[in-house]
């Protein structure tokens, strides 16, 4: 199996976790989930840095599902109103960042006393990207 296929399987894990957690109401403490997935996503960032070829393409490839999910979320929850929303797309767009919801909530509270679901979700997505980016940078520094 090529390195790209292995990495693609690894980047599916947050989506699978989100689906299983939501579908079966699997309750894992949010802080524990955050720690496990932050370590995983950091490691994936390091792995992305070790893929040969163009750095930008490797990074985009590794975050392709993240980007698609984030764009679907923005489309459904920022651009559309409640009546226009597709419930299936709205639901699956939230699966990918579910493991980072703890950091999204904590960081959201730094900016406001009011918890807003859309803000929490966007911050969760961004914190996920930040962890992967730091892992990618660390992987590139290790390679040099």
């Amino acid at each position: 199996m090529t390195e790209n296929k292995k990495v693609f399987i690894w980047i599916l894990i947050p989506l699978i976790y989100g689906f299983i957690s939501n579908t079966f109401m699997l309750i894992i403490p949010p802080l524990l989930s955050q720690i496990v997935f932050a370590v995983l996503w950091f490691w994936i960032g390091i792995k992305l840095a070790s893929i040969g070829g163009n750095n930008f393409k490797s990074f985009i490839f590794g975050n392709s599902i993240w980007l698609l999910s984030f764009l679907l979320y923005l489309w459904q929850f920022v651009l559309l109103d409640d009546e226009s929303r597709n419930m299936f797309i709205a639901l699956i767009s939230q699966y990918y960042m579910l493991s980072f919801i703890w950091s999204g909530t904590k960081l959201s509270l730094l900016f406001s006393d009011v918890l807003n679901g859309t803000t929490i979700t966007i911050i969760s997505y961004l914190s996920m990207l930040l962890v992967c980016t730091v892992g990618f940078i660390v992987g590139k520094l290790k390679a040099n």
Side-chain angles (χ1 to χ4, degrees):
M1 186 181 293
T2 67
E3 191 67 24
N4 288 354
K5 289 180 183 176
K6 288 178 187 176
V7 171
F8 188 73
I9 291 169
W10 283 104
I11 65 174
L12 286 173
I13 291 175
L15 184 64
I16 294 167
Y17 168 77
F19 173 77
I20 290 172
S21 294
N22 192 50
T23 304
F24 300 110
M25 294 308 213
L26 178 66
I27 299 177
I28 296 176
L31 179 58
L32 177 61
S33 170
Q34 173 73 54
I35 292 169
V36 168
F37 277 89
V39 169
L40 172 73
W41 212 238
F42 180 81
W43 179 78
I44 288 172
I46 292 172
K47 288 303 232 181
L48 292 173
S50 68
I51 294 176
N54 186 317
N55 289 337
F56 181 73
K57 286 182 182 178
S58 297
F59 186 77
I60 294 299
F61 167 73
N63 286 290
S64 57
I65 298 174
W66 176 92
L67 181 61
L68 178 62
S69 186
F70 184 59
L71 291 174
L72 286 174
Y73 182 82
L74 291 176
W75 173 43
Q76 290 296 306
F77 289 93
V78 176
L79 298 177
L80 295 179
D81 57 5
D82 291 343
E83 295 82 32
S84 302
R85 195 170 291 148
N86 179 310
M87 283 300 146
F88 177 72
I89 295 173
L91 183 63
I92 63 168
S93 71
Q94 297 175 70
Y95 287 163
Y96 206 69
M97 64 76 218
L98 190 60
S99 59
F100 279 77
I101 205 74
W102 184 86
S103 62
T105 303
K106 296 300 179 187
L107 290 171
S108 177
L109 287 172
L110 293 175
F111 302 111
S112 173
D113 293 336
V114 178
L115 291 174
N116 179 299
T118 302
T119 304
I120 291 170
T121 303
I122 290 171
I123 292 173
S124 298
Y125 269 113
L126 295 176
S127 63
M128 190 176 188
L129 180 64
L130 178 67
V131 169
C132 185
T133 303
V134 170
F136 188 82
I137 292 168
V138 167
K140 281 299 173 189
L141 292 175
K142 276 184 162 182
N144 294 335

